[in-house]
Amino acid sequence: MSKQKMIKAPRGTYDILPDQSYKWAWISDKFKQVAASFNYLELVTPIFESAQLFERSVGDQTDIIEKEMYKFKDRKGRLLALRPEGTAPVVRSYIENNLRAGNSISKLFYNGPMFRYDRPQKGRYRQFYQYGIEYIGTADPFADAEVILFSDYLMSGLGLEKYRLEINSIGCSLCSEQYNKALVTYFQRYTDQLCSDCQKRIKNNPKRLLDCKVPNCKSLADNAPSMLDYLDEKCQEHFEQLKSHLDSLDVDYIVNPKIVRGLDYYNRTAFEIIDIATEAQTALLGGGRYDNLIEFLGGKDTPAIGMAGGIERLIAAMEKENLPFGEQPKPDIYVINNDISTKKEAMLVTAKLRKNGLKVEFEIEKNSFNKQFKAALKSGANFTAIIGEDEKNTDTVTIKNLRKEEQSRYKNDEIVAIMNEKCKKHR
Ligand code: HAM
């Protein structure tokens, strides 16, 4: 076979290398711990869905649907999409599996890869890992406060300090109608100064003008009318209650009337947690209320709220703040077969220790004692188990504590109990 050109990972994707993967595990574990303390259960949905699910829920004039969705036909011509986000699949599954039956409330979490054909840059990937929660079945502002509190606990539980919680209310369809009119009147005066996307947004989705990153549009948006002046009485009351709950819970936040979110299913509460350690001020997570989505996708009228965040952005923020990710996994014991003739005995001791729950590395390639010993030190193991000719003949194992430079010999049939005890002390 002739040598071919190397194949690289697709643009915007990356490998989570073995010396980094523990960071993903650390964050996923922390997220699952917070989810358990708030009594959320995991829901795992497919990585691809019918493309229509996202087109209908996220909104066909959003960037995600217009520019970023990985859409393809399968061999039978079905139009599918790699999921760009997790809320629509959760709602689809909630309706399809009738999760409402017998439960007035469903609290669900998920964690996995999402796909968006975004312009790759730091913190923006085409495949990224997203954790998220959905609190389904209540319109009470206590639920909004809980979802925001969850987000805040996760950030502070990971040790982060340089973040800011921003909240807003984007009202309901009734308030939006009035507000959209006010926005159109305001921005129409500047149509020729707007970017080409915003010129379309003025007609299709005026609120999205507030979210444009183009500097000129951004400065025009600074003086645009505020959504908060257009909230009707009920939406205003909902927002006031949410703020009062957050105040009682001592959650720090600012009200940012420019948060509109990049997906169309939201109403009332919208919020983001912003990384303030860098100038880019990217969103660590975002969420909001989506009271109409479940009915819109064919379910019963069921209010809901949720949030999701990217693991890559959390890792970058934690690295900037020099925060720990727990320890990289390492073996408890490194088994050294002092002599080639004792390799089989070493293999059997390894198997016995592993079977009893210990983390054990067994040296296969290197035969010199010195080389094996160096490898043991490099592995980070606390102990070596040495099996040479002497040990083989007396059915014993020598255990060396690599931290204390102590060593003793033990009977082979006692080794599991002894090592369990010794390793427990080191954990
Ligand atoms: P989203 O704001 O589109 O919301 O995404 C949530 C988070 O995912 C972002 O704040 C960011 O941390 C991360 N993220 C998004 N795109 C990328 C990317 N290309 N690369 C890296 N990270 C990214 C949603 O997805 C909603 N489903 C959230 C939600 C749940 N709303 C209600 N429930």
Side-chain angles (χ1 to χ4, degrees):
M1 228 159 66
S2 65
K3 202 170 173 184
Q4 306 272 318
K5 213 172 143 204
M6 200 187 104
I7 298 169
K8 294 193 168 175
R11 187 166 141 76
T13 71
Y14 60 91
D15 300 308
I16 304 175
L17 297 174
D19 65 347
Q20 296 294 311
S21 51
Y22 72 103
K23 297 181 181 176
W24 267 258
W26 176 254
I27 291 183
S28 300
D29 284 354
K30 281 276 163 193
F31 168 65
K32 285 181 185 171
Q33 279 167 24
V34 182
S37 72
F38 279 73
N39 195 30
Y40 282 77
L41 297 179
E42 185 166 18
L43 173 66
V44 182
T45 62
I47 280 176
F48 59 87
E49 297 267 359
S50 149
Q52 230 193 2
L53 172 67
F54 300 107
E55 285 161 355
R56 276 214 260 156
S57 52
V58 174
D60 52 12
Q61 266 143 36
T62 56
D63 284 353
I64 294 181
I65 301 304
E66 269 192 341
K67 305 179 189 166
E68 298 172 0
M69 200 154 70
Y70 280 91
K71 211 158 114 170
F72 58 97
K73 279 191 181 155
D74 72 5
R75 285 166 194 270
K76 285 270 163 66
R78 300 177 191 96
L79 200 50
L80 301 171
L82 295 182
R83 60 183 186 190
E85 62 104 45
T87 308
V90 166
V91 167
R92 195 257 321 127
S93 173
Y94 175 85
I95 300 168
E96 188 174 338
N97 295 296
N98 197 17
L99 296 186
R100 186 186 161 119
N103 306 299
S104 55
I105 299 287
S106 290
K107 291 166 76 177
L108 307 165
F109 79 82
Y110 50 92
N111 185 23
M114 307 287 162
F115 306 83
R116 296 184 191 177
Y117 192 79
D118 225 328
R119 198 160 59 82
Q121 53 196 286
K122 192 153 179 44
R124 203 168 280 282
Y125 305 94
R126 291 186 175 167
Q127 172 172 328
F128 59 99
Y129 285 80
Q130 208 189 48
Y131 57 85
I133 58 170
E134 309 298 346
Y135 194 139
I136 302 177
T138 171
D140 195 306
F142 273 117
D144 306 41
E146 264 217 14
V147 169
I148 292 175
L149 186 68
F150 184 118
S151 313
D152 190 53
Y153 269 14
L154 181 62
M155 300 296 115
S156 59
L158 288 166
L160 286 169
E161 286 177 1
K162 293 183 182 149
Y163 67 89
R164 184 177 61 230
L165 166 65
E166 299 186 352
I167 64 169
N168 189 25
S169 174
I170 56 169
C172 60
S173 55
L174 295 176
C175 340
S176 284
E177 211 179 298
Q178 297 305 315
Y179 182 53
N180 282 342
K181 275 188 199 155
L183 280 180
V184 171
T185 310
Y186 170 80
F187 280 110
Q188 258 170 353
R189 277 180 275 161
Y190 308 104
T191 318
D192 50 349
Q193 296 175 42
L194 296 171
C195 73
S196 56
D197 277 345
C198 279
Q199 293 189 357
K200 275 189 245 151
R201 286 173 185 143
I202 252 195
K203 291 185 208 106
N204 303 331
N205 200 346
K207 270 195 218 133
R208 305 273 305 132
L209 279 147
L210 300 176
D211 203 26
C212 183
K213 302 288 179 282
V214 175
N216 216 17
C217 305
K218 225 173 152 176
S219 62
L220 287 171
D222 281 344
N223 297 317
S226 165
M227 177 77 225
L228 296 175
D229 295 330
Y230 290 81
L231 294 182
D232 65 18
E233 215 175 296
K234 281 191 174 158
C235 291
Q236 211 167 356
E237 173 63 19
H238 186 98
F239 196 44
E240 290 309 317
Q241 283 190 32
L242 166 62
K243 286 190 288 179
S244 145
H245 297 332
L246 293 178
D247 291 338
S248 307
L249 289 162
D250 267 337
V251 175
D252 281 337
Y253 62 89
I254 63 159
V255 174
N256 175 1
K258 295 225 160 47
I259 296 182
V260 288
R261 311 278 302 125
L263 307 98
D264 279 354
Y265 46 63
Y266 292 114
N267 67 303
R268 290 193 170 165
T269 307
F271 66 95
E272 285 177 352
I273 288 188
I274 309 293
D275 177 0
I276 53 171
T278 54
E279 241 181 84
Q281 306 227 333
T282 44
L284 289 173
L285 62 80
R289 188 159 270 296
Y290 52 95
D291 292 336
N292 305 313
L293 184 61
I294 296 175
E295 190 176 21
F296 187 67
L297 288 177
K300 294 205 176 97
D301 178 12
T302 315
I305 179 164
M307 70 84 182
I311 292 193
E312 295 77 2
R313 293 188 189 182
L314 261 189
I315 290 178
M318 287 178 67
E319 283 172 344
K320 252 177 275 146
E321 293 196 39
N322 283 324
L323 294 169
F325 290 91
E327 273 194 38
Q328 208 175 337
K330 55 181 191 191
D332 298 316
I333 308 162
Y334 203 102
V335 177
I336 293 180
N337 53 283
N338 207 1
D339 193 302
I340 184 109
S341 62
T342 60
K343 205 161 212 155
K344 200 157 208 154
E345 283 69 26
M347 180 182 77
L348 295 176
V349 168
T350 303
K352 190 161 73 171
L353 292 167
R354 283 179 180 158
K355 204 169 180 186
N356 284 279
L358 289 158
K359 294 186 280 177
V360 190
E361 182 56 297
F362 163 50
E363 179 54 57
I364 291 177
E365 279 288 301
K366 299 181 184 74
N367 288 321
S368 111
F369 179 82
N370 278 346
K371 281 192 182 156
Q372 292 187 49
F373 195 71
K374 268 194 199 145
L377 287 174
K378 197 169 161 214
S379 76
N382 288 318
F383 300 95
T384 50
I386 303 164
I387 298 132
E389 272 299 314
D390 234 20
E391 283 85 357
K392 182 178 165 182
N393 294 336
T394 52
D395 204 18
T396 55
V397 179
T398 298
I399 299 295
K400 190 174 175 74
N401 184 326
L402 291 171
R403 310 282 150 236
K404 294 193 186 154
E405 294 296 316
E406 288 168 1
Q407 75 175 52
S408 314
R409 207 183 265 199
Y410 301 99
K411 286 207 179 96
N412 196 339
D413 57 6
E414 289 171 358
I415 204 76
V416 166
I418 289 168
M419 290 318 292
N420 255 325
E421 199 50 42
K422 283 185 185 288
C423 293
K424 217 191 300 163
K425 281 193 207 140
H426 273 81
R427 283 201 182 128

